[in-house]
Structures are given as structure tokens and as C-alpha cells.
Short mmCIF file of all heavy atoms in Angstrom, two decimals:
data_model
loop_
_atom_site.label_atom_id
_atom_site.label_comp_id
_atom_site.label_asym_id
_atom_site.label_seq_id
_atom_site.Cartn_x
_atom_site.Cartn_y
_atom_site.Cartn_z
N THR D 1 -68.18 -0.57 -121.46
CA THR D 1 -67.18 -1.39 -122.16
C THR D 1 -66.08 -1.83 -121.22
O THR D 1 -65.66 -3.00 -121.23
CB THR D 1 -66.59 -0.61 -123.35
OG1 THR D 1 -67.62 -0.28 -124.27
CG2 THR D 1 -65.53 -1.43 -124.06
N GLY D 2 -65.59 -0.92 -120.39
CA GLY D 2 -64.57 -1.28 -119.41
C GLY D 2 -65.05 -2.38 -118.49
O GLY D 2 -64.31 -3.32 -118.16
N ALA D 3 -66.31 -2.29 -118.05
CA ALA D 3 -66.88 -3.31 -117.17
C ALA D 3 -66.99 -4.65 -117.88
O ALA D 3 -66.67 -5.71 -117.30
CB ALA D 3 -68.26 -2.86 -116.68
N ASP D 4 -67.44 -4.65 -119.13
CA ASP D 4 -67.54 -5.90 -119.89
C ASP D 4 -66.18 -6.55 -120.07
O ASP D 4 -66.03 -7.77 -119.94
CB ASP D 4 -68.18 -5.65 -121.26
CG ASP D 4 -69.68 -5.35 -121.18
OD1 ASP D 4 -70.31 -5.77 -120.19
OD2 ASP D 4 -70.21 -4.70 -122.10
N VAL D 5 -65.18 -5.73 -120.38
CA VAL D 5 -63.83 -6.27 -120.57
C VAL D 5 -63.30 -6.84 -119.25
O VAL D 5 -62.75 -7.94 -119.21
CB VAL D 5 -62.88 -5.18 -121.12
CG1 VAL D 5 -61.44 -5.67 -121.13
CG2 VAL D 5 -63.30 -4.78 -122.53
N PHE D 6 -63.49 -6.10 -118.15
CA PHE D 6 -63.03 -6.58 -116.84
C PHE D 6 -63.68 -7.93 -116.51
O PHE D 6 -63.00 -8.87 -116.08
CB PHE D 6 -63.36 -5.56 -115.75
CG PHE D 6 -62.91 -5.98 -114.38
CD1 PHE D 6 -61.63 -5.68 -113.93
CD2 PHE D 6 -63.75 -6.70 -113.54
CE1 PHE D 6 -61.20 -6.08 -112.66
CE2 PHE D 6 -63.34 -7.11 -112.28
CZ PHE D 6 -62.07 -6.80 -111.84
N GLN D 7 -64.98 -8.02 -116.71
CA GLN D 7 -65.69 -9.26 -116.40
C GLN D 7 -65.16 -10.43 -117.20
O GLN D 7 -64.92 -11.51 -116.66
CB GLN D 7 -67.19 -9.09 -116.66
CG GLN D 7 -68.01 -10.34 -116.45
CD GLN D 7 -69.46 -10.14 -116.84
OE1 GLN D 7 -70.05 -9.10 -116.56
NE2 GLN D 7 -70.04 -11.13 -117.51
N HIS D 8 -64.93 -10.23 -118.48
CA HIS D 8 -64.48 -11.34 -119.32
C HIS D 8 -63.03 -11.72 -119.02
O HIS D 8 -62.67 -12.89 -119.11
CB HIS D 8 -64.67 -10.99 -120.80
CG HIS D 8 -66.09 -11.13 -121.26
ND1 HIS D 8 -67.04 -10.17 -121.01
CD2 HIS D 8 -66.72 -12.13 -121.92
CE1 HIS D 8 -68.20 -10.56 -121.52
NE2 HIS D 8 -68.03 -11.74 -122.08
N LEU D 9 -62.21 -10.74 -118.67
CA LEU D 9 -60.84 -11.08 -118.27
C LEU D 9 -60.84 -11.81 -116.94
O LEU D 9 -60.09 -12.77 -116.74
CB LEU D 9 -59.98 -9.82 -118.18
CG LEU D 9 -59.17 -9.47 -119.44
CD1 LEU D 9 -60.04 -9.30 -120.66
CD2 LEU D 9 -58.34 -8.21 -119.19
N PHE D 10 -61.69 -11.37 -116.01
CA PHE D 10 -61.80 -12.02 -114.70
C PHE D 10 -62.23 -13.47 -114.88
O PHE D 10 -61.77 -14.36 -114.15
CB PHE D 10 -62.81 -11.26 -113.84
CG PHE D 10 -62.78 -11.63 -112.38
CD1 PHE D 10 -62.04 -10.88 -111.48
CD2 PHE D 10 -63.47 -12.74 -111.92
CE1 PHE D 10 -62.00 -11.23 -110.13
CE2 PHE D 10 -63.44 -13.08 -110.58
CZ PHE D 10 -62.70 -12.33 -109.68
N ASP D 11 -63.11 -13.71 -115.85
CA ASP D 11 -63.62 -15.06 -116.10
C ASP D 11 -62.72 -15.89 -117.01
O ASP D 11 -63.10 -16.97 -117.46
CB ASP D 11 -65.02 -14.98 -116.73
CG ASP D 11 -66.06 -14.45 -115.76
OD1 ASP D 11 -65.78 -14.41 -114.55
OD2 ASP D 11 -67.16 -14.08 -116.22
N ASN D 12 -61.53 -15.37 -117.32
CA ASN D 12 -60.52 -16.10 -118.10
C ASN D 12 -60.99 -16.41 -119.53
O ASN D 12 -60.61 -17.44 -120.10
CB ASN D 12 -60.12 -17.40 -117.39
CG ASN D 12 -59.48 -17.14 -116.04
OD1 ASN D 12 -58.78 -16.16 -115.86
ND2 ASN D 12 -59.74 -18.03 -115.08
N THR D 13 -61.79 -15.52 -120.10
CA THR D 13 -62.24 -15.73 -121.48
C THR D 13 -61.07 -15.83 -122.45
O THR D 13 -61.13 -16.58 -123.43
CB THR D 13 -63.17 -14.57 -121.91
OG1 THR D 13 -64.30 -14.53 -121.02
CG2 THR D 13 -63.66 -14.77 -123.34
N PHE D 14 -60.00 -15.08 -122.18
CA PHE D 14 -58.84 -15.06 -123.06
C PHE D 14 -57.61 -15.67 -122.39
O PHE D 14 -56.48 -15.34 -122.72
CB PHE D 14 -58.56 -13.64 -123.52
CG PHE D 14 -59.72 -12.99 -124.23
CD1 PHE D 14 -60.55 -12.10 -123.57
CD2 PHE D 14 -60.01 -13.30 -125.55
CE1 PHE D 14 -61.63 -11.52 -124.20
CE2 PHE D 14 -61.08 -12.72 -126.21
CZ PHE D 14 -61.90 -11.83 -125.53
N GLY D 15 -57.85 -16.56 -121.47
CA GLY D 15 -56.76 -17.21 -120.74
C GLY D 15 -56.70 -16.71 -119.31
O GLY D 15 -57.31 -15.70 -118.94
N GLU D 16 -55.96 -17.41 -118.47
CA GLU D 16 -55.88 -17.07 -117.05
C GLU D 16 -54.92 -15.91 -116.84
O GLU D 16 -53.69 -16.06 -116.86
CB GLU D 16 -55.42 -18.28 -116.24
CG GLU D 16 -55.53 -18.08 -114.74
CD GLU D 16 -55.28 -19.34 -113.96
OE1 GLU D 16 -55.29 -20.45 -114.57
OE2 GLU D 16 -55.06 -19.24 -112.73
N VAL D 17 -55.51 -14.73 -116.64
CA VAL D 17 -54.74 -13.50 -116.50
C VAL D 17 -53.99 -13.50 -115.17
O VAL D 17 -54.51 -13.92 -114.14
CB VAL D 17 -55.67 -12.28 -116.59
CG1 VAL D 17 -54.90 -10.98 -116.38
CG2 VAL D 17 -56.38 -12.26 -117.94
N LYS D 18 -52.76 -13.00 -115.20
CA LYS D 18 -51.96 -12.93 -113.96
C LYS D 18 -52.41 -11.76 -113.08
O LYS D 18 -52.49 -11.89 -111.85
CB LYS D 18 -50.48 -12.77 -114.32
CG LYS D 18 -49.56 -12.66 -113.11
CD LYS D 18 -48.11 -12.49 -113.56
CE LYS D 18 -47.17 -12.36 -112.36
NZ LYS D 18 -45.76 -12.18 -112.79
N GLU D 19 -52.71 -10.61 -113.71
CA GLU D 19 -53.04 -9.41 -112.94
C GLU D 19 -53.92 -8.50 -113.78
O GLU D 19 -53.72 -8.37 -114.99
CB GLU D 19 -51.74 -8.69 -112.56
CG GLU D 19 -51.93 -7.39 -111.78
CD GLU D 19 -50.58 -6.73 -111.50
OE1 GLU D 19 -49.78 -7.34 -110.76
OE2 GLU D 19 -50.34 -5.61 -112.03
N ILE D 20 -54.94 -7.90 -113.14
CA ILE D 20 -55.80 -6.93 -113.82
C ILE D 20 -55.82 -5.64 -113.01
O ILE D 20 -56.07 -5.66 -111.80
CB ILE D 20 -57.26 -7.43 -113.94
CG1 ILE D 20 -57.35 -8.82 -114.57
CG2 ILE D 20 -58.08 -6.43 -114.77
CD1 ILE D 20 -58.76 -9.39 -114.59
N ASN D 21 -55.56 -4.53 -113.68
CA ASN D 21 -55.75 -3.20 -113.09
C ASN D 21 -56.78 -2.46 -113.94
O ASN D 21 -56.56 -2.24 -115.14
CB ASN D 21 -54.44 -2.42 -113.07
CG ASN D 21 -53.48 -2.93 -112.02
OD1 ASN D 21 -53.77 -2.86 -110.83
ND2 ASN D 21 -52.35 -3.46 -112.46
N TRP D 22 -57.91 -2.11 -113.30
CA TRP D 22 -58.97 -1.39 -114.01
C TRP D 22 -58.90 0.07 -113.58
O TRP D 22 -59.12 0.40 -112.42
CB TRP D 22 -60.32 -2.01 -113.65
CG TRP D 22 -61.49 -1.43 -114.39
CD1 TRP D 22 -61.47 -0.56 -115.43
CD2 TRP D 22 -62.87 -1.71 -114.12
NE1 TRP D 22 -62.74 -0.27 -115.84
CE2 TRP D 22 -63.62 -0.96 -115.07
CE3 TRP D 22 -63.53 -2.52 -113.21
CZ2 TRP D 22 -65.01 -0.99 -115.09
CZ3 TRP D 22 -64.91 -2.55 -113.23
CH2 TRP D 22 -65.66 -1.80 -114.16
N ILE D 23 -58.59 0.94 -114.55
CA ILE D 23 -58.34 2.36 -114.29
C ILE D 23 -59.47 3.20 -114.87
O ILE D 23 -59.87 3.01 -116.02
CB ILE D 23 -57.01 2.81 -114.93
CG1 ILE D 23 -55.87 1.84 -114.56
CG2 ILE D 23 -56.68 4.24 -114.57
CD1 ILE D 23 -55.59 1.74 -113.09
N SER D 24 -59.98 4.15 -114.07
CA SER D 24 -61.06 5.01 -114.55
C SER D 24 -60.88 6.43 -114.04
O SER D 24 -60.53 6.64 -112.87
CB SER D 24 -62.42 4.49 -114.10
OG SER D 24 -63.45 5.41 -114.45
N ARG D 25 -61.15 7.41 -114.89
CA ARG D 25 -61.13 8.81 -114.46
C ARG D 25 -62.34 9.14 -113.59
O ARG D 25 -62.32 10.13 -112.85
CB ARG D 25 -61.15 9.75 -115.67
CG ARG D 25 -59.85 9.77 -116.46
CD ARG D 25 -59.90 10.81 -117.55
NE ARG D 25 -60.99 10.57 -118.49
CZ ARG D 25 -61.23 11.32 -119.57
NH1 ARG D 25 -60.46 12.37 -119.83
NH2 ARG D 25 -62.22 11.03 -120.39
N ARG D 26 -63.38 8.35 -113.69
CA ARG D 26 -64.60 8.64 -112.95
C ARG D 26 -64.37 8.48 -111.45
O ARG D 26 -63.49 7.74 -111.02
CB ARG D 26 -65.73 7.71 -113.41
CG ARG D 26 -66.00 7.83 -114.90
CD ARG D 26 -67.12 6.95 -115.36
NE ARG D 26 -67.25 6.98 -116.82
CZ ARG D 26 -68.27 6.49 -117.50
NH1 ARG D 26 -69.28 5.93 -116.85
NH2 ARG D 26 -68.30 6.56 -118.82
N SER D 27 -65.20 9.16 -110.67
CA SER D 27 -65.00 9.16 -109.23
C SER D 27 -65.34 7.81 -108.60
O SER D 27 -64.95 7.55 -107.47
CB SER D 27 -65.86 10.26 -108.58
OG SER D 27 -67.23 10.04 -108.86
N ASN D 28 -66.04 6.96 -109.32
CA ASN D 28 -66.37 5.62 -108.83
C ASN D 28 -66.72 4.77 -110.04
O ASN D 28 -66.78 5.26 -111.17
CB ASN D 28 -67.53 5.67 -107.83
CG ASN D 28 -67.61 4.45 -106.94
OD1 ASN D 28 -66.91 3.45 -107.15
ND2 ASN D 28 -68.44 4.52 -105.92
N ILE D 29 -66.97 3.49 -109.81
CA ILE D 29 -67.51 2.64 -110.87
C ILE D 29 -69.01 2.87 -110.84
O ILE D 29 -69.72 2.37 -109.96
CB ILE D 29 -67.15 1.15 -110.62
CG1 ILE D 29 -65.63 0.99 -110.51
CG2 ILE D 29 -67.71 0.28 -111.73
CD1 ILE D 29 -64.85 1.46 -111.72
N GLU D 30 -69.50 3.65 -111.80
CA GLU D 30 -70.82 4.25 -111.69
C GLU D 30 -71.88 3.52 -112.51
O GLU D 30 -71.66 3.11 -113.65
CB GLU D 30 -70.74 5.71 -112.12
CG GLU D 30 -69.83 6.53 -111.21
CD GLU D 30 -69.59 7.94 -111.70
OE1 GLU D 30 -69.41 8.11 -112.92
OE2 GLU D 30 -69.59 8.85 -110.86
N ALA D 31 -73.07 3.41 -111.89
CA ALA D 31 -74.17 2.68 -112.50
C ALA D 31 -74.90 3.50 -113.55
O ALA D 31 -74.96 4.74 -113.47
CB ALA D 31 -75.16 2.25 -111.41
N LEU D 32 -75.47 2.82 -114.52
CA LEU D 32 -76.35 3.42 -115.50
C LEU D 32 -77.57 3.99 -114.78
O LEU D 32 -78.17 3.33 -113.94
CB LEU D 32 -76.79 2.36 -116.51
CG LEU D 32 -77.70 2.81 -117.65
CD1 LEU D 32 -76.92 3.66 -118.64
CD2 LEU D 32 -78.29 1.59 -118.36
N ASP D 33 -77.92 5.21 -115.08
CA ASP D 33 -79.11 5.83 -114.51
C ASP D 33 -80.29 5.41 -115.40
O ASP D 33 -80.51 5.98 -116.46
CB ASP D 33 -78.94 7.35 -114.51
CG ASP D 33 -80.09 8.08 -113.83
OD1 ASP D 33 -81.06 7.40 -113.43
OD2 ASP D 33 -80.02 9.31 -113.70
N GLU D 34 -81.03 4.40 -114.97
CA GLU D 34 -82.05 3.81 -115.83
C GLU D 34 -83.41 3.74 -115.16
O GLU D 34 -84.19 2.82 -115.39
CB GLU D 34 -81.61 2.41 -116.28
CG GLU D 34 -81.20 1.49 -115.16
CD GLU D 34 -80.66 0.15 -115.65
OE1 GLU D 34 -80.92 -0.21 -116.82
OE2 GLU D 34 -79.99 -0.55 -114.87
N SER D 35 -83.73 4.73 -114.32
CA SER D 35 -85.05 4.74 -113.69
C SER D 35 -86.12 5.12 -114.70
O SER D 35 -85.84 5.61 -115.79
CB SER D 35 -85.06 5.74 -112.53
OG SER D 35 -85.14 7.07 -113.03
N CYS D 36 -87.37 4.89 -114.31
CA CYS D 36 -88.48 5.19 -115.22
C CYS D 36 -88.56 6.69 -115.53
O CYS D 36 -88.95 7.08 -116.63
CB CYS D 36 -89.80 4.69 -114.64
SG CYS D 36 -90.11 5.21 -112.94
N PHE D 37 -88.15 7.54 -114.58
CA PHE D 37 -88.18 8.97 -114.85
C PHE D 37 -86.97 9.41 -115.67
O PHE D 37 -87.07 10.33 -116.49
CB PHE D 37 -88.28 9.75 -113.54
CG PHE D 37 -89.68 9.77 -112.99
CD1 PHE D 37 -90.06 8.86 -112.02
CD2 PHE D 37 -90.62 10.67 -113.46
CE1 PHE D 37 -91.36 8.84 -111.53
CE2 PHE D 37 -91.93 10.66 -112.97
CZ PHE D 37 -92.29 9.75 -112.00
N THR D 38 -85.86 8.77 -115.47
CA THR D 38 -84.71 9.05 -116.34
C THR D 38 -85.05 8.72 -117.78
O THR D 38 -84.62 9.41 -118.72
CB THR D 38 -83.49 8.23 -115.90
OG1 THR D 38 -83.13 8.62 -114.57
CG2 THR D 38 -82.31 8.47 -116.82
N ASP D 39 -85.84 7.70 -117.98
CA ASP D 39 -86.23 7.29 -119.34
C ASP D 39 -87.02 8.37 -120.06
O ASP D 39 -87.16 8.32 -121.28
CB ASP D 39 -87.03 5.99 -119.28
CG ASP D 39 -86.92 5.18 -120.57
OD1 ASP D 39 -85.81 5.13 -121.14
OD2 ASP D 39 -87.95 4.63 -121.02
N GLN D 40 -87.54 9.34 -119.32
CA GLN D 40 -88.28 10.42 -119.97
C GLN D 40 -87.38 11.31 -120.82
O GLN D 40 -87.87 12.04 -121.69
CB GLN D 40 -89.00 11.27 -118.91
CG GLN D 40 -89.95 10.48 -118.01
CD GLN D 40 -90.93 9.63 -118.77
OE1 GLN D 40 -91.74 10.13 -119.55
NE2 GLN D 40 -90.88 8.32 -118.55
N TYR D 41 -86.06 11.28 -120.56
CA TYR D 41 -85.14 11.99 -121.44
C TYR D 41 -85.14 11.40 -122.85
O TYR D 41 -84.73 12.06 -123.80
CB TYR D 41 -83.70 11.91 -120.91
CG TYR D 41 -83.43 12.68 -119.64
CD1 TYR D 41 -82.65 12.13 -118.64
CD2 TYR D 41 -83.93 13.97 -119.45
CE1 TYR D 41 -82.37 12.83 -117.46
CE2 TYR D 41 -83.66 14.67 -118.28
CZ TYR D 41 -82.88 14.10 -117.29
OH TYR D 41 -82.60 14.79 -116.14
N PHE D 42 -85.58 10.17 -122.95
CA PHE D 42 -85.54 9.45 -124.23
C PHE D 42 -86.93 9.40 -124.86
O PHE D 42 -87.34 8.39 -125.42
CB PHE D 42 -84.97 8.05 -124.02
CG PHE D 42 -83.56 8.06 -123.49
CD1 PHE D 42 -83.32 8.12 -122.12
CD2 PHE D 42 -82.48 8.03 -124.34
CE1 PHE D 42 -82.02 8.15 -121.63
CE2 PHE D 42 -81.18 8.07 -123.86
CZ PHE D 42 -80.96 8.13 -122.50
N MET D 43 -87.66 10.49 -124.72
CA MET D 43 -88.99 10.63 -125.29
C MET D 43 -88.98 11.75 -126.32
O MET D 43 -88.27 12.75 -126.16
CB MET D 43 -90.02 10.95 -124.19
CG MET D 43 -90.13 9.90 -123.10
SD MET D 43 -90.97 8.41 -123.70
CE MET D 43 -90.93 7.39 -122.22
N PRO D 44 -89.78 11.63 -127.38
CA PRO D 44 -89.79 12.66 -128.42
C PRO D 44 -90.07 14.06 -127.91
O PRO D 44 -89.47 15.04 -128.38
CB PRO D 44 -90.90 12.18 -129.37
CG PRO D 44 -90.90 10.69 -129.21
CD PRO D 44 -90.59 10.45 -127.76
N ASP D 45 -90.97 14.20 -126.91
CA ASP D 45 -91.31 15.54 -126.44
C ASP D 45 -90.11 16.23 -125.79
O ASP D 45 -89.90 17.44 -125.95
CB ASP D 45 -92.49 15.49 -125.47
CG ASP D 45 -92.11 14.86 -124.13
OD1 ASP D 45 -91.73 13.68 -124.14
OD2 ASP D 45 -92.18 15.55 -123.09
#
């Protein structure tokens, strides 16, 4: 959600923003873990 909001503000969806500060507790801006083996967590077994 933070990434989506940042992108839309950067693209001036709601007007030309003067300044954006994106703050996160996470150690980095981290990617979704979506490998084929990670997907095995989302299996009934």
C-alpha cells in the first residue's frame, strides 16, 4: 500500500506534490517473496 501511494503521488495523481517522504520501519523497501517454492506455503497440504 505504501508503494502504491508513493507511486501515485510521484505521478501527480492528486496534484503536483511539493515533497514526498516515504517512511518505513522495515530495513529496506522489500520485495514480495513470490517464487514458485514460496507459493507452496499457499497449498492445502
Side-chain angles (χ1 to χ4, degrees):
T1 299
D4 287 336
V5 172
F6 181 88
Q7 176 185 319
H8 282 80
L9 265 58
F10 193 96
D11 292 346
N12 298 326
T13 301
F14 302 101
E16 189 171 346
V17 177
K18 179 181 179 181
E19 178 181 296
I20 308 175
N21 286 296
W22 184 9
I23 310 300
S24 174
R25 289 185 301 182
R26 303 181 186 192
S27 60
N28 200 351
I29 303 302
E30 297 173 319
L32 181 72
D33 185 356
E34 52 185 342
S35 76
C36 51
F37 281 96
T38 298
D39 206 40
Q40 303 308 300
Y41 291 138
F42 299 87
M43 300 287 179
D45 70 298

